[in-house]
Amino acid sequence: MPESTPSGDAPSRSETARDVVIFQVKLWLEGFKDVVLMPLSLGAAVIDLVFGGSTLYAVMKLGDRFERWVHLYAPLEEPESKPEDPDPQSLDRLLNEAADGIENKAASSRPEETEASWSSS
């Protein structure tokens, strides 16, 4: 049985399309993070073993902060649990602002295309 959406209502097609694009960007970023952290963590561990210190744990903290910033499964959260004003630097906010800009540009260009097609007929 599939899980219901957080709000209980089925999302619109545009919301689903927007969420899938944002989810794919986040998945790509998570994968990139993993590829970067693998050799970085091995190098940090070698440095810690040879010279002592806590370089590995600093790398792990960096990975944790990045993961929290990406917040891969944010759309699954209940609306009540989401903060009113999310961090202005959060990835969700940046991606949503970018999507809003793209949607606004697409919406503002549609009437001109329709008028142009009518006038050329």
Side-chain angles (χ1 to χ4, degrees), residues 23-68:
F23 188 61
Q24 291 300 312
V25 169
K26 288 178 169 188
L27 285 171
W28 185 85
L29 285 171
E30 284 279 332
F32 181 74
K33 172 206 55 140
D34 292 341
V35 168
V36 169
L37 281 182
M38 280 188 268
L40 196 59
S41 64
L42 287 173
V46 168
I47 290 170
D48 286 353
L49 290 171
V50 173
F51 300 109
S54 59
T55 310
L56 175 63
Y57 298 103
V59 170
M60 291 170 78
K61 284 180 185 177
L62 178 69
D64 182 53
R65 277 198 342 246
F66 186 82
E67 225 169 69
R68 290 173 195 259

Side-chain angles (χ1 to χ4, degrees), residues 47-112:
I47 290 170
D48 286 353
L49 290 171
V50 173
F51 300 109
S54 59
T55 310
L56 175 63
Y57 298 103
V59 170
M60 291 170 78
K61 284 180 185 177
L62 178 69
D64 182 53
R65 277 198 342 246
F66 186 82
E67 225 169 69
R68 290 173 195 259
W69 180 70
V70 169
H71 201 193
L72 188 59
Y73 300 105
L76 296 177
E77 290 182 350
E78 295 294 327
E80 306 87 50
S81 68
K82 291 183 182 176
E84 287 298 317
D85 188 25
D87 178 16
Q89 298 300 318
S90 74
L91 182 61
D92 283 324
R93 185 149 187 176
L94 295 173
L95 290 175
N96 280 314
E97 286 176 2
D100 288 341
I102 291 168
E103 287 173 357
N104 290 340
K105 185 167 181 133
S108 67
S109 68
R110 281 189 199 125
E112 295 168 3

Side-chain angles (χ1 to χ4, degrees), residues 109-121:
S109 68
R110 281 189 199 125
E112 295 168 3
E113 290 173 6
T114 306
E115 290 173 1
S117 66
W118 283 105
S119 61
S120 66
S121 310

